[in-house]
Amino acid sequence: MRLKLQTLVNEPGCDHNQSKTDKQKKEACKKPTPGATAGGCAFDGAQIVLLPVADAAHLIHGPITCCGHSYNNRGTRTTVGDLHDYGFTTDISEMDIIMGSEKKLKESIKYITEKYRPKAVFVYSTCVTAMIGEDIAQVCKDVSSEVRLPVIPVDSPGFAGSKNLGNKFAGNSIVEYVVGTKEPEAVPENSINLIGEYNIAGELWQIEPILKDLGINLLSKMTGNATYDELAYANKAQVSVVICSRALISIARQLKDKYEIPYLEGSFYSMKQTKQTLLKIAELLKNDELKSKIEKYCAEKEEATYAELEPYLPVLKGKKVLVYTGGVKSWSVLHQLEELGMEVIKSSTRKSTEEDIDRILDHFEGDQSALMPKGDGRTILNLIKEHNAHLLLAGGRNMYNAMKEQIPFLDVNQERHFAFAGYEGMVELARHMAYTLTSPVFDVAHSKAPWEVM
């Protein structure tokens, strides 16, 4: 674990990390505060990456409470199976901690493979099983030959660090144990890997048609709506595209080192970002014909999208927005709001990498005061009042802050039910913001009660 941790926090593909001292590199992935890891520990991060692989079983080797990090509370969608909805756990007890539970783990894997017939089994270590020294890698190796299925260890104790570090643990397991173990039936021209897209609310299904229209083949998705097999032959792609997440750049970098697959970072939030990402793909594919096709396609799509946006733009223009979300959305959504003519007063930097923060600063032309490293309910309410914000874009738990202040709110976190990627998602986002801004409920909320008028 120690060696792996040093390798992951010293990611060669991370420009920021390479410019740090040895001491600063060790601090690259901050550890969560003890007792405050819910939703943000390394174990949670590993599950976020791997659970969308729904034709594989996901077995948590630890106390049943760790099973509470279920993917049911995330808005990912899939068409390849439903095993990600099952809460498989070894449910270890005090006696297991004293006597060891590797035998129990082995029997649990056998039970799952016999009863549910998955394509593979991912086995996650947790804080407790890591502390008592369970060798899940050896158990997975031994039982794999017995059940004749891939059984993949995911070394992911929550105490190891943050959610971002857990993303890297999962990526490391994919590259070390899965990629290169199967052959595809065919590898079409212009085949790519899409890394870091989890199909939240069906966003992948807004991106796929764009790629299909341009003749770009999506060979392997990591991991939204992915099958186990497509992860296994990701080494056959021509280009890897990392979507909005530096946490998984280690997968792209390792695919480049091992299989000479070039990679790029891109985003499909906003029309400008979508076009830039597509052109970068064409450049790495060395396909000039595709570049010309993209220019024409994007021009047509942008014209059609602005026509669809026409009813909403007058409502949105000039409105002030406070963005309080996490990770990559803190900067990617800014491009969409800018294209819709809205003004962002501040954006949070929670769970954002340093590259994400740089991108936010680019948007605000280097103004550090526009960043919100941390904010409780009172801070958010004070900022809304201070800047006369019209709208709060945040996660579901902040909905109550908006209700207290009686201002419009839109959920843009992973629990949301609406997809906001690509051209279709741009219209969807504008529609929902316009609807909430013009909702008659706010006129009622801001008016005096009948007994106050008398």
Side-chain angles (χ1 to χ4, degrees):
M1 168 62 81
R2 182 179 175 81
L3 181 61
K4 187 186 291 184
L5 199 59
Q6 288 176 343
T7 304
L8 290 174
V9 298
N10 189 23
E11 171 54 50
C14 175
D15 299 334
H16 268 283
N17 205 42
Q18 293 311 301
S19 64
K20 290 180 175 178
T21 64
D22 288 345
K23 184 180 178 183
Q24 288 172 323
K25 285 175 182 176
K26 290 177 182 176
E27 296 169 355
C29 294
K30 295 176 183 175
K31 292 183 179 180
T33 305
T37 60
C41 68
F43 166 70
D44 187 35
Q47 283 209 305
I48 285 171
V49 173
L50 293 172
L51 274 176
V53 187
D55 62 351
H58 301 267
L59 173 61
I60 298 163
H61 187 36
I64 196 168
T65 48
C66 292
C67 216
H69 286 291
S70 167
Y71 217 75
N72 282 332
N73 63 0
R74 295 177 65 84
T76 190
R77 293 185 184 175
T78 181
T79 57
V80 302
D82 62 357
L83 288 174
H84 66 313
D85 286 335
Y86 286 73
F88 296 119
T89 174
T90 51
D91 184 21
I92 65 168
S93 63
E94 288 87 348
M95 285 304 294
D96 294 320
I97 293 171
I98 297 167
M99 305 300 292
S101 56
E102 290 180 0
K103 185 178 178 183
K104 190 174 188 179
L105 172 61
K106 191 174 180 180
E107 293 305 316
S108 298
I109 295 169
K110 286 182 180 178
Y111 173 81
I112 291 169
T113 54
E114 287 172 9
K115 186 171 178 64
Y116 295 94
R117 306 287 181 187
K119 286 288 183 68
V121 182
F122 288 98
V123 179
Y124 303 79
S125 68
T126 57
C127 294
V128 176
T129 48
M131 283 193 290
I132 63 175
E134 298 279 283
D135 189 353
I136 66 165
Q138 189 59 50
V139 173
C140 289
K141 185 179 177 182
D142 293 344
V143 79
S144 180
S145 58
E146 290 185 40
V147 299
R148 297 184 179 182
L149 277 178
V151 182
I152 314 300
V154 186
D155 205 1
S156 55
F159 61 70
S162 66
K163 188 169 71 175
N164 276 352
L165 185 60
N167 294 161
K168 293 177 183 179
F169 285 156
N172 190 66
S173 289
I174 291 174
V175 176
E176 187 173 350
Y177 296 104
V178 183
V179 175
T181 58
K182 287 183 183 287
E183 288 289 326
E185 291 181 2
V187 182
E189 192 182 4
N190 299 331
S191 291
I192 66 168
N193 297 321
L194 197 61
I195 301 172
E197 163 54 54
Y198 305 126
N199 202 25
I200 299 295
E203 287 191 341
L204 176 70
W205 298 327
Q206 293 175 328
I207 298 170
E208 274 185 317
I210 297 172
L211 300 175
K212 189 176 179 182
D213 288 347
L214 293 165
I216 299 171
N217 180 57
L218 201 46
L219 187 69
S220 177
K221 306 176 287 290
M222 295 186 183
T223 51
N225 200 35
T227 62
Y228 178 82
D229 285 354
E230 65 186 83
L231 299 184
Y233 51 67
N235 56 310
K236 298 297 181 182
Q238 294 171 256
V239 169
S240 293
V241 182
V242 183
I243 298 294
C244 291
S245 176
R246 296 285 293 188
L248 287 184
I249 201 167
S250 59
I251 294 183
R253 195 265 307 160
Q254 290 182 76
L255 291 177
K256 183 183 179 185
D257 291 348
K258 292 179 74 172
Y259 304 105
E260 299 182 348
I261 302 172
Y263 69 88
L264 61 96
E265 293 179 74
S267 168
F268 286 94
Y269 291 111
S270 90
M271 293 183 280
K272 184 179 176 183
Q273 290 284 316
T274 299
K275 182 180 177 182
Q276 286 180 351
T277 301
L278 293 169
L279 287 172
K280 283 183 191 173
I281 293 172
E283 191 175 334
L284 285 188
L285 289 170
K286 298 176 182 175
N287 191 330
D288 292 334
E289 187 183 340
L290 180 59
K291 277 186 186 176
S292 304
K293 194 174 178 180
I294 290 169
E295 293 281 1
K296 184 181 176 187
Y297 178 83
C298 290
E300 291 173 356
K301 283 298 224 179
E302 286 175 17
E303 185 179 351
T305 303
Y306 274 119
E308 287 190 67
L309 289 172
E310 197 171 337
Y312 313 118
L313 290 178
V315 178
L316 303 176
K317 189 177 180 181
K319 294 292 189 298
K320 295 179 181 178
V321 189
L322 176 62
V323 177
Y324 192 74
T325 178
V328 296
K329 292 185 296 298
S330 297
W331 65 266
S332 57
V333 75
L334 303 187
H335 294 284
Q336 290 180 304
L337 299 175
E338 186 179 37
E339 288 183 1
L340 293 170
M342 305 178 81
E343 180 188 349
V344 180
I345 55 174
K346 281 184 185 292
S347 181
S348 65
T349 57
R350 294 180 314 135
K351 304 175 188 176
S352 297
T353 63
E354 292 187 56
E355 287 76 15
D356 294 331
I357 294 171
D358 279 350
R359 286 164 174 154
I360 299 171
L361 281 172
D362 282 345
H363 178 84
F364 290 110
E365 300 177 343
D367 182 7
Q368 293 276 350
S369 66
L371 305 181
M372 284 181 68
K374 213 171 184 180
D376 52 23
R378 175 48 55 193
T379 305
I380 292 172
L381 290 176
N382 288 341
L383 285 171
I384 289 171
K385 285 180 183 174
E386 181 185 343
H387 295 274
N388 294 318
H390 299 96
L391 178 68
L392 174 63
L393 251 62
R397 71 186 67 174
N398 285 295
M399 175 177 66
Y400 303 102
N401 291 322
M403 290 171 71
K404 285 176 186 173
E405 192 56 28
Q406 299 174 347
I407 71 162
F409 165 83
L410 185 65
D411 186 354
V412 291
N413 268 13
Q414 68 270 7
E415 309 92 354
R416 67 184 185 273
H417 299 288
F418 303 99
F420 301 135
Y423 300 101
E424 188 184 335
M426 186 81 176
V427 178
E428 189 77 1
L429 177 65
R431 180 185 298 118
H432 284 279
M433 287 194 296
Y435 284 174
T436 189
L437 282 165
T438 57
S439 172
V441 73
F442 296 107
D443 293 333
V444 176
H446 294 150
S447 62
K448 289 187 177 180
W451 57 87
E452 292 175 325
V453 177
M454 292 174 65

